Amino acid sequence: MPPHLIDGEPHDHGHDRPKRERTPGEPVRIGIGGPVGSGKTALTAALCRQLRGELSLAVLTNDIYTTEDADFLRRHAVLPDERITAVQTGGCPHTAIRDDITANLDAIDDLIEANPPLDLILVESGGDNLTATFSSGLIDAQIFVVDVAGGDKVPRKGGPGVTYSDLLVINKTDLAPMVGADLAVMDRDSAKVREGRPFVFTSLTQDPAATPVLSWVREQLRAAAEQDAAAGTTVGH
């Protein structure tokens, strides 16, 4: 039996979306999305710890009804409190990052005003499913995080986050033996559905610096700096 499609066509909510036209000198905005429990906040914390000594950054989290993720980051002192803020999205977390991004844009403006100059803003989505993507008007590049506890079928299930994000992170690889997930299968299926787009495997237990993700983020910052240099502007300080 063929799959049921909305309006007779598959909807990817992210394929070939235009990139945000970042004004030279603006902080780079990187979105971090993924399902509940995939490790988005832990990854955000790891990136903050590694980058806070070399550039100026801030974090914006999205939670459904609380500020739990922002509170976690504050408790662990990954950044000064004034560099961490939160948006409460209500019962539909993908709306605030994709459909009506006003609250997130306002929060970003407040972070920029309170912490000049900024080089990087990490925008963490509320926990959602494989269909969640960021609006191109909100972020410059998107990381999508899944974890092996969901089973090795997750990459081949696809969805716009898995398929079209700028970087797919397959997290918690140390749990693979405990849940019977085959990392080789996940590697094969990720390569197939992503069609050349990058993906990495991580375990924050084994690699607290999230080294492959950190390298990718630094590459985004280098590319932005090169664009700004070509425009005669320096990013941040």
Side-chain angles (χ1 to χ4, degrees), residues 126-177:
D128 212 317
N129 54 35
L130 301 180
T131 68
T133 56
F134 286 85
S135 166
S136 59
L138 179 59
I139 52 93
D140 299 302
Q142 175 182 348
I143 298 170
F144 196 78
V145 186
V146 298
D147 71 285
V148 302
D152 55 28
K153 65 184 178 181
V154 171
R156 66 176 173 268
K157 289 175 77 71
V162 169
T163 304
Y164 299 117
S165 59
D166 296 288
L167 179 69
L168 173 65
V169 176
I170 301 170
N171 194 26
K172 304 183 184 180
T173 54
D174 53 300
L175 298 182

mmCIF file of all heavy atoms in Angstrom, residues 126-177:
data_model
loop_
_atom_site.group_PDB
_atom_site.id
_atom_site.type_symbol
_atom_site.label_atom_id
_atom_site.label_comp_id
_atom_site.label_asym_id
_atom_site.label_seq_id
_atom_site.Cartn_x
_atom_site.Cartn_y
_atom_site.Cartn_z
ATOM 1 N N GLY A 126 13.150 23.513 21.131
ATOM 2 C CA GLY A 126 12.476 22.632 22.069
ATOM 3 C C GLY A 126 12.500 21.217 21.517
ATOM 4 O O GLY A 126 12.617 21.009 20.305
ATOM 5 N N GLY A 127 12.393 20.227 22.382
ATOM 6 C CA GLY A 127 12.394 18.845 21.911
ATOM 7 C C GLY A 127 11.215 18.592 20.986
ATOM 8 O O GLY A 127 10.074 18.852 21.333
ATOM 9 N N ASP A 128 11.496 18.100 19.794
ATOM 10 C CA ASP A 128 10.451 17.856 18.812
ATOM 11 C C ASP A 128 10.756 16.541 18.117
ATOM 12 O O ASP A 128 11.583 15.759 18.585
ATOM 13 C CB ASP A 128 10.381 19.030 17.820
ATOM 14 C CG ASP A 128 8.970 19.272 17.295
ATOM 15 O OD1 ASP A 128 8.288 18.288 16.975
ATOM 16 O OD2 ASP A 128 8.572 20.434 17.196
ATOM 17 N N ASN A 129 10.134 16.302 16.985
ATOM 18 C CA ASN A 129 10.341 15.042 16.292
ATOM 19 C C ASN A 129 11.202 15.246 15.049
ATOM 20 O O ASN A 129 11.821 16.294 14.871
ATOM 21 C CB ASN A 129 8.995 14.406 15.941
ATOM 22 C CG ASN A 129 8.113 15.366 15.163
ATOM 23 O OD1 ASN A 129 8.591 16.161 14.356
ATOM 24 N ND2 ASN A 129 6.812 15.301 15.421
ATOM 25 N N LEU A 130 11.234 14.248 14.180
ATOM 26 C CA LEU A 130 12.123 14.291 13.030
ATOM 27 C C LEU A 130 11.684 15.302 11.969
ATOM 28 O O LEU A 130 12.417 15.553 11.014
ATOM 29 C CB LEU A 130 12.233 12.900 12.388
ATOM 30 C CG LEU A 130 12.758 11.789 13.303
ATOM 31 C CD1 LEU A 130 12.828 10.464 12.547
ATOM 32 C CD2 LEU A 130 14.130 12.143 13.868
ATOM 33 N N THR A 131 10.507 15.891 12.135
ATOM 34 C CA THR A 131 10.029 16.869 11.155
ATOM 35 C C THR A 131 10.451 18.288 11.486
ATOM 36 O O THR A 131 10.219 19.198 10.691
ATOM 37 C CB THR A 131 8.489 16.839 11.046
ATOM 38 O OG1 THR A 131 7.927 17.337 12.263
ATOM 39 C CG2 THR A 131 7.991 15.429 10.781
ATOM 40 N N ALA A 132 11.055 18.513 12.658
ATOM 41 C CA ALA A 132 11.366 19.880 13.096
ATOM 42 C C ALA A 132 12.539 20.454 12.315
ATOM 43 O O ALA A 132 13.585 19.827 12.193
ATOM 44 C CB ALA A 132 11.673 19.893 14.584
ATOM 45 N N THR A 133 12.344 21.655 11.781
ATOM 46 C CA THR A 133 13.436 22.391 11.139
ATOM 47 C C THR A 133 13.350 23.860 11.549
ATOM 48 O O THR A 133 12.299 24.343 11.961
ATOM 49 C CB THR A 133 13.350 22.310 9.603
ATOM 50 O OG1 THR A 133 12.068 22.798 9.182
ATOM 51 C CG2 THR A 133 13.550 20.891 9.112
ATOM 52 N N PHE A 134 14.471 24.550 11.405
ATOM 53 C CA PHE A 134 14.521 25.978 11.695
ATOM 54 C C PHE A 134 14.195 26.783 10.441
ATOM 55 O O PHE A 134 14.583 26.414 9.330
ATOM 56 C CB PHE A 134 15.920 26.377 12.157
ATOM 57 C CG PHE A 134 16.279 25.940 13.542
ATOM 58 C CD1 PHE A 134 16.779 24.674 13.777
ATOM 59 C CD2 PHE A 134 16.134 26.793 14.623
ATOM 60 C CE1 PHE A 134 17.131 24.259 15.054
ATOM 61 C CE2 PHE A 134 16.476 26.405 15.903
ATOM 62 C CZ PHE A 134 16.986 25.129 16.123
ATOM 63 N N SER A 135 13.528 27.904 10.643
ATOM 64 C CA SER A 135 13.339 28.848 9.555
ATOM 65 C C SER A 135 14.693 29.409 9.132
ATOM 66 O O SER A 135 15.551 29.712 9.970
ATOM 67 C CB SER A 135 12.432 29.988 10.013
ATOM 68 O OG SER A 135 12.497 31.069 9.109
ATOM 69 N N SER A 136 14.864 29.595 7.832
ATOM 70 C CA SER A 136 16.100 30.214 7.341
ATOM 71 C C SER A 136 16.188 31.672 7.763
ATOM 72 O O SER A 136 17.258 32.272 7.707
ATOM 73 C CB SER A 136 16.184 30.089 5.817
ATOM 74 O OG SER A 136 15.063 30.712 5.211
ATOM 75 N N GLY A 137 15.073 32.259 8.202
ATOM 76 C CA GLY A 137 15.113 33.615 8.713
ATOM 77 C C GLY A 137 15.631 33.707 10.130
ATOM 78 O O GLY A 137 15.921 34.798 10.621
ATOM 79 N N LEU A 138 15.759 32.554 10.798
ATOM 80 C CA LEU A 138 16.189 32.543 12.196
ATOM 81 C C LEU A 138 17.654 32.165 12.357
ATOM 82 O O LEU A 138 18.357 32.753 13.180
ATOM 83 C CB LEU A 138 15.314 31.565 12.987
ATOM 84 C CG LEU A 138 15.623 31.379 14.474
ATOM 85 C CD1 LEU A 138 15.523 32.712 15.223
ATOM 86 C CD2 LEU A 138 14.671 30.357 15.083
ATOM 87 N N ILE A 139 18.120 31.198 11.594
ATOM 88 C CA ILE A 139 19.490 30.709 11.787
ATOM 89 C C ILE A 139 20.234 30.668 10.450
ATOM 90 O O ILE A 139 19.645 30.706 9.373
ATOM 91 C CB ILE A 139 19.513 29.316 12.474
ATOM 92 C CG1 ILE A 139 18.618 28.309 11.746
ATOM 93 C CG2 ILE A 139 19.051 29.447 13.920
ATOM 94 C CD1 ILE A 139 19.285 27.482 10.729
ATOM 95 N N ASP A 140 21.563 30.596 10.565
ATOM 96 C CA ASP A 140 22.413 30.510 9.374
ATOM 97 C C ASP A 140 22.728 29.065 9.001
ATOM 98 O O ASP A 140 22.953 28.758 7.835
ATOM 99 C CB ASP A 140 23.721 31.268 9.615
ATOM 100 C CG ASP A 140 23.485 32.734 9.897
ATOM 101 O OD1 ASP A 140 22.878 33.407 9.037
ATOM 102 O OD2 ASP A 140 23.881 33.211 10.981
ATOM 103 N N ALA A 141 22.777 28.182 9.992
ATOM 104 C CA ALA A 141 23.070 26.773 9.751
ATOM 105 C C ALA A 141 22.420 25.960 10.858
ATOM 106 O O ALA A 141 22.253 26.444 11.976
ATOM 107 C CB ALA A 141 24.579 26.517 9.723
ATOM 108 N N GLN A 142 22.047 24.726 10.531
ATOM 109 C CA GLN A 142 21.312 23.886 11.469
ATOM 110 C C GLN A 142 22.035 22.580 11.747
ATOM 111 O O GLN A 142 22.432 21.865 10.831
ATOM 112 C CB GLN A 142 19.918 23.585 10.922
ATOM 113 C CG GLN A 142 19.132 22.618 11.792
ATOM 114 C CD GLN A 142 17.764 22.294 11.224
ATOM 115 O OE1 GLN A 142 17.296 22.946 10.306
ATOM 116 N NE2 GLN A 142 17.120 21.275 11.759
ATOM 117 N N ILE A 143 22.186 22.275 13.034
ATOM 118 C CA ILE A 143 22.622 20.963 13.491
ATOM 119 C C ILE A 143 21.380 20.201 13.925
ATOM 120 O O ILE A 143 20.511 20.753 14.605
ATOM 121 C CB ILE A 143 23.592 21.085 14.686
ATOM 122 C CG1 ILE A 143 24.861 21.835 14.284
ATOM 123 C CG2 ILE A 143 23.939 19.718 15.262
ATOM 124 C CD1 ILE A 143 25.756 22.202 15.470
ATOM 125 N N PHE A 144 21.277 18.938 13.542
ATOM 126 C CA PHE A 144 20.164 18.106 13.999
ATOM 127 C C PHE A 144 20.745 16.908 14.742
ATOM 128 O O PHE A 144 21.627 16.217 14.231
ATOM 129 C CB PHE A 144 19.311 17.634 12.827
ATOM 130 C CG PHE A 144 17.959 17.116 13.243
ATOM 131 C CD1 PHE A 144 16.937 17.978 13.571
ATOM 132 C CD2 PHE A 144 17.720 15.749 13.320
ATOM 133 C CE1 PHE A 144 15.690 17.516 13.970
ATOM 134 C CE2 PHE A 144 16.478 15.270 13.720
ATOM 135 C CZ PHE A 144 15.452 16.152 14.042
ATOM 136 N N VAL A 145 20.247 16.695 15.966
ATOM 137 C CA VAL A 145 20.798 15.673 16.850
ATOM 138 C C VAL A 145 19.802 14.534 17.025
ATOM 139 O O VAL A 145 18.639 14.767 17.392
ATOM 140 C CB VAL A 145 21.144 16.260 18.234
ATOM 141 C CG1 VAL A 145 21.860 15.213 19.089
ATOM 142 C CG2 VAL A 145 22.008 17.507 18.099
ATOM 143 N N VAL A 146 20.238 13.316 16.759
ATOM 144 C CA VAL A 146 19.481 12.117 17.116
ATOM 145 C C VAL A 146 20.389 11.260 17.992
ATOM 146 O O VAL A 146 21.591 11.513 18.086
ATOM 147 C CB VAL A 146 19.024 11.327 15.870
ATOM 148 C CG1 VAL A 146 18.089 12.158 15.007
ATOM 149 C CG2 VAL A 146 20.217 10.840 15.051
ATOM 150 N N ASP A 147 19.818 10.259 18.654
ATOM 151 C CA ASP A 147 20.683 9.413 19.472
ATOM 152 C C ASP A 147 20.395 7.950 19.200
ATOM 153 O O ASP A 147 19.299 7.593 18.743
ATOM 154 C CB ASP A 147 20.519 9.738 20.964
ATOM 155 C CG ASP A 147 19.203 9.282 21.525
ATOM 156 O OD1 ASP A 147 18.187 9.949 21.240
ATOM 157 O OD2 ASP A 147 19.176 8.269 22.233
ATOM 158 N N VAL A 148 21.379 7.110 19.464
ATOM 159 C CA VAL A 148 21.278 5.697 19.110
ATOM 160 C C VAL A 148 20.236 4.970 19.942
ATOM 161 O O VAL A 148 19.780 3.886 19.560
ATOM 162 C CB VAL A 148 22.646 4.990 19.225
ATOM 163 C CG1 VAL A 148 23.672 5.659 18.332
ATOM 164 C CG2 VAL A 148 23.126 4.959 20.665
ATOM 165 N N ALA A 149 19.819 5.546 21.072
ATOM 166 C CA ALA A 149 18.803 4.892 21.901
ATOM 167 C C ALA A 149 17.476 4.772 21.166
ATOM 168 O O ALA A 149 16.642 3.932 21.522
ATOM 169 C CB ALA A 149 18.614 5.653 23.213
ATOM 170 N N GLY A 150 17.288 5.594 20.146
ATOM 171 C CA GLY A 150 16.082 5.493 19.334
ATOM 172 C C GLY A 150 16.106 4.326 18.365
ATOM 173 O O GLY A 150 15.107 4.057 17.691
ATOM 174 N N GLY A 151 17.240 3.637 18.283
ATOM 175 C CA GLY A 151 17.374 2.507 17.377
ATOM 176 C C GLY A 151 18.097 2.884 16.098
ATOM 177 O O GLY A 151 18.116 4.048 15.696
ATOM 178 N N ASP A 152 18.698 1.883 15.464
ATOM 179 C CA ASP A 152 19.473 2.187 14.258
ATOM 180 C C ASP A 152 18.598 2.461 13.043
ATOM 181 O O ASP A 152 19.103 2.801 11.967
ATOM 182 C CB ASP A 152 20.490 1.081 13.963
ATOM 183 C CG ASP A 152 19.881 -0.318 13.862
ATOM 184 O OD1 ASP A 152 18.699 -0.433 13.504
ATOM 185 O OD2 ASP A 152 20.604 -1.294 14.159
ATOM 186 N N LYS A 153 17.268 2.382 13.195
ATOM 187 C CA LYS A 153 16.365 2.708 12.090
ATOM 188 C C LYS A 153 16.184 4.209 11.900
ATOM 189 O O LYS A 153 15.658 4.645 10.860
ATOM 190 C CB LYS A 153 14.992 2.081 12.342
ATOM 191 C CG LYS A 153 14.272 2.666 13.558
ATOM 192 C CD LYS A 153 12.965 1.966 13.834
ATOM 193 C CE LYS A 153 12.295 2.560 15.095
ATOM 194 N NZ LYS A 153 11.025 1.871 15.413
ATOM 195 N N VAL A 154 16.582 5.023 12.882
ATOM 196 C CA VAL A 154 16.264 6.451 12.843
ATOM 197 C C VAL A 154 16.764 7.142 11.575
ATOM 198 O O VAL A 154 15.993 7.851 10.914
ATOM 199 C CB VAL A 154 16.782 7.168 14.106
ATOM 200 C CG1 VAL A 154 16.651 8.679 13.977
ATOM 201 C CG2 VAL A 154 16.009 6.680 15.339
ATOM 202 N N PRO A 155 18.023 6.987 11.159
ATOM 203 C CA PRO A 155 18.451 7.695 9.943
ATOM 204 C C PRO A 155 17.634 7.322 8.712
ATOM 205 O O PRO A 155 17.298 8.202 7.906
ATOM 206 C CB PRO A 155 19.923 7.286 9.798
ATOM 207 C CG PRO A 155 20.348 6.979 11.196
ATOM 208 C CD PRO A 155 19.158 6.325 11.830
ATOM 209 N N ARG A 156 17.296 6.059 8.545
ATOM 210 C CA ARG A 156 16.567 5.695 7.322
ATOM 211 C C ARG A 156 15.102 6.105 7.363
ATOM 212 O O ARG A 156 14.424 6.095 6.335
ATOM 213 C CB ARG A 156 16.699 4.207 7.024
ATOM 214 C CG ARG A 156 16.056 3.256 7.996
ATOM 215 C CD ARG A 156 16.204 1.814 7.497
ATOM 216 N NE ARG A 156 15.745 0.840 8.473
ATOM 217 C CZ ARG A 156 16.511 0.266 9.388
ATOM 218 N NH1 ARG A 156 17.804 0.590 9.452
ATOM 219 N NH2 ARG A 156 16.024 -0.612 10.238
ATOM 220 N N LYS A 157 14.601 6.480 8.547
ATOM 221 C CA LYS A 157 13.243 7.032 8.617
ATOM 222 C C LYS A 157 13.199 8.429 8.003
ATOM 223 O O LYS A 157 12.131 8.925 7.660
ATOM 224 C CB LYS A 157 12.766 7.075 10.078
ATOM 225 C CG LYS A 157 12.474 5.698 10.653
ATOM 226 C CD LYS A 157 12.120 5.769 12.123
ATOM 227 C CE LYS A 157 10.705 6.250 12.333
ATOM 228 N NZ LYS A 157 9.705 5.248 11.928
ATOM 229 N N GLY A 158 14.357 9.068 7.894
ATOM 230 C CA GLY A 158 14.446 10.360 7.226
ATOM 231 C C GLY A 158 13.778 11.468 8.006
ATOM 232 O O GLY A 158 13.885 11.551 9.224
ATOM 233 N N GLY A 159 13.073 12.315 7.291
ATOM 234 C CA GLY A 159 12.541 13.540 7.880
ATOM 235 C C GLY A 159 13.484 14.672 7.560
ATOM 236 O O GLY A 159 14.693 14.472 7.358
ATOM 237 N N PRO A 160 12.991 15.900 7.493
ATOM 238 C CA PRO A 160 13.826 17.022 7.051
ATOM 239 C C PRO A 160 15.011 17.289 7.957
ATOM 240 O O PRO A 160 16.062 17.708 7.479
ATOM 241 C CB PRO A 160 12.856 18.203 7.028
ATOM 242 C CG PRO A 160 11.711 17.789 7.887
ATOM 243 C CD PRO A 160 11.587 16.311 7.730
ATOM 244 N N GLY A 161 14.877 17.070 9.277
ATOM 245 C CA GLY A 161 16.012 17.289 10.160
ATOM 246 C C GLY A 161 17.145 16.337 9.861
ATOM 247 O O GLY A 161 18.311 16.723 9.722
ATOM 248 N N VAL A 162 16.817 15.058 9.742
ATOM 249 C CA VAL A 162 17.820 14.032 9.444
ATOM 250 C C VAL A 162 18.412 14.238 8.059
ATOM 251 O O VAL A 162 19.621 14.132 7.852
ATOM 252 C CB VAL A 162 17.202 12.625 9.559
ATOM 253 C CG1 VAL A 162 18.134 11.566 8.986
ATOM 254 C CG2 VAL A 162 16.871 12.308 11.015
ATOM 255 N N THR A 163 17.563 14.543 7.097
ATOM 256 C CA THR A 163 17.994 14.543 5.700
ATOM 257 C C THR A 163 18.664 15.843 5.273
ATOM 258 O O THR A 163 19.694 15.822 4.594
ATOM 259 C CB THR A 163 16.784 14.273 4.783
ATOM 260 O OG1 THR A 163 16.170 13.043 5.174
ATOM 261 C CG2 THR A 163 17.220 14.176 3.322
ATOM 262 N N TYR A 164 18.101 16.989 5.677
ATOM 263 C CA TYR A 164 18.528 18.244 5.084
ATOM 264 C C TYR A 164 19.258 19.195 6.017
ATOM 265 O O TYR A 164 19.662 20.279 5.586
ATOM 266 C CB TYR A 164 17.320 18.975 4.482
ATOM 267 C CG TYR A 164 16.652 18.190 3.388
ATOM 268 C CD1 TYR A 164 15.332 17.754 3.523
ATOM 269 C CD2 TYR A 164 17.342 17.849 2.228
ATOM 270 C CE1 TYR A 164 14.719 17.029 2.524
ATOM 271 C CE2 TYR A 164 16.734 17.123 1.228
ATOM 272 C CZ TYR A 164 15.422 16.704 1.375
ATOM 273 O OH TYR A 164 14.824 15.979 0.388
ATOM 274 N N SER A 165 19.427 18.845 7.291
ATOM 275 C CA SER A 165 20.187 19.725 8.182
ATOM 276 C C SER A 165 21.609 19.891 7.654
ATOM 277 O O SER A 165 22.116 19.048 6.902
ATOM 278 C CB SER A 165 20.210 19.151 9.600
ATOM 279 O OG SER A 165 20.793 17.863 9.608
ATOM 280 N N ASP A 166 22.253 20.967 8.059
ATOM 281 C CA ASP A 166 23.622 21.203 7.607
ATOM 282 C C ASP A 166 24.598 20.213 8.224
ATOM 283 O O ASP A 166 25.637 19.906 7.623
ATOM 284 C CB ASP A 166 24.028 22.640 7.944
ATOM 285 C CG ASP A 166 23.169 23.646 7.196
ATOM 286 O OD1 ASP A 166 23.343 23.783 5.977
ATOM 287 O OD2 ASP A 166 22.298 24.264 7.830
ATOM 288 N N LEU A 167 24.286 19.734 9.431
ATOM 289 C CA LEU A 167 25.089 18.692 10.070
ATOM 290 C C LEU A 167 24.164 17.795 10.864
ATOM 291 O O LEU A 167 23.395 18.273 11.704
ATOM 292 C CB LEU A 167 26.142 19.297 11.006
ATOM 293 C CG LEU A 167 27.022 18.273 11.742
ATOM 294 C CD1 LEU A 167 27.967 17.563 10.768
ATOM 295 C CD2 LEU A 167 27.809 18.930 12.876
ATOM 296 N N LEU A 168 24.234 16.495 10.611
ATOM 297 C CA LEU A 168 23.514 15.505 11.413
ATOM 298 C C LEU A 168 24.477 14.938 12.450
ATOM 299 O O LEU A 168 25.582 14.511 12.108
ATOM 300 C CB LEU A 168 22.982 14.378 10.537
ATOM 301 C CG LEU A 168 22.348 13.183 11.275
ATOM 302 C CD1 LEU A 168 21.083 13.617 12.016
ATOM 303 C CD2 LEU A 168 22.054 12.051 10.304
ATOM 304 N N VAL A 169 24.057 14.961 13.717
ATOM 305 C CA VAL A 169 24.856 14.403 14.807
ATOM 306 C C VAL A 169 24.143 13.163 15.341
ATOM 307 O O VAL A 169 23.002 13.252 15.804
ATOM 308 C CB VAL A 169 25.046 15.430 15.942
ATOM 309 C CG1 VAL A 169 25.804 14.805 17.115
ATOM 310 C CG2 VAL A 169 25.786 16.652 15.430
ATOM 311 N N ILE A 170 24.804 12.031 15.261
ATOM 312 C CA ILE A 170 24.283 10.779 15.828
ATOM 313 C C ILE A 170 24.978 10.602 17.163
ATOM 314 O O ILE A 170 26.164 10.268 17.234
ATOM 315 C CB ILE A 170 24.537 9.593 14.879
ATOM 316 C CG1 ILE A 170 23.866 9.864 13.529
ATOM 317 C CG2 ILE A 170 23.999 8.293 15.491
ATOM 318 C CD1 ILE A 170 24.240 8.873 12.439
ATOM 319 N N ASN A 171 24.238 10.858 18.225
ATOM 320 C CA ASN A 171 24.797 11.024 19.558
ATOM 321 C C ASN A 171 24.631 9.763 20.410
ATOM 322 O O ASN A 171 23.864 8.871 20.094
ATOM 323 C CB ASN A 171 24.102 12.224 20.223
ATOM 324 C CG ASN A 171 24.812 12.713 21.457
ATOM 325 O OD1 ASN A 171 26.018 12.538 21.618
ATOM 326 N ND2 ASN A 171 24.058 13.322 22.358
ATOM 327 N N LYS A 172 25.384 9.735 21.509
ATOM 328 C CA LYS A 172 25.326 8.659 22.513
ATOM 329 C C LYS A 172 25.724 7.305 21.934
ATOM 330 O O LYS A 172 25.114 6.274 22.224
ATOM 331 C CB LYS A 172 23.934 8.587 23.148
ATOM 332 C CG LYS A 172 23.469 9.894 23.780
ATOM 333 C CD LYS A 172 22.123 9.745 24.449
ATOM 334 C CE LYS A 172 21.620 11.073 24.997
ATOM 335 N NZ LYS A 172 20.315 10.990 25.658
ATOM 336 N N THR A 173 26.780 7.309 21.133
ATOM 337 C CA THR A 173 27.226 6.059 20.517
ATOM 338 C C THR A 173 27.666 5.029 21.553
ATOM 339 O O THR A 173 27.658 3.827 21.268
ATOM 340 C CB THR A 173 28.388 6.328 19.547
ATOM 341 O OG1 THR A 173 29.435 7.032 20.233
ATOM 342 C CG2 THR A 173 27.926 7.154 18.354
ATOM 343 N N ASP A 174 28.027 5.484 22.758
ATOM 344 C CA ASP A 174 28.427 4.541 23.805
ATOM 345 C C ASP A 174 27.274 3.648 24.244
ATOM 346 O O ASP A 174 27.493 2.588 24.845
ATOM 347 C CB ASP A 174 28.987 5.294 25.022
ATOM 348 C CG ASP A 174 28.031 6.375 25.528
ATOM 349 O OD1 ASP A 174 27.724 7.294 24.749
ATOM 350 O OD2 ASP A 174 27.596 6.294 26.693
ATOM 351 N N LEU A 175 26.033 4.052 23.929
ATOM 352 C CA LEU A 175 24.868 3.249 24.317
ATOM 353 C C LEU A 175 24.525 2.170 23.301
ATOM 354 O O LEU A 175 23.654 1.333 23.561
ATOM 355 C CB LEU A 175 23.645 4.156 24.504
ATOM 356 C CG LEU A 175 23.729 5.226 25.596
ATOM 357 C CD1 LEU A 175 22.414 5.990 25.667
ATOM 358 C CD2 LEU A 175 24.065 4.602 26.947
ATOM 359 N N ALA A 176 25.172 2.185 22.152
ATOM 360 C CA ALA A 176 24.806 1.260 21.079
ATOM 361 C C ALA A 176 24.763 -0.203 21.524
ATOM 362 O O ALA A 176 23.788 -0.914 21.242
ATOM 363 C CB ALA A 176 25.740 1.446 19.884
ATOM 364 N N PRO A 177 25.787 -0.715 22.230
ATOM 365 C CA PRO A 177 25.724 -2.124 22.638
ATOM 366 C C PRO A 177 24.573 -2.425 23.590
ATOM 367 O O PRO A 177 24.035 -3.536 23.592
ATOM 368 C CB PRO A 177 27.078 -2.351 23.333
ATOM 369 C CG PRO A 177 27.965 -1.255 22.845
ATOM 370 C CD PRO A 177 27.064 -0.090 22.622
#
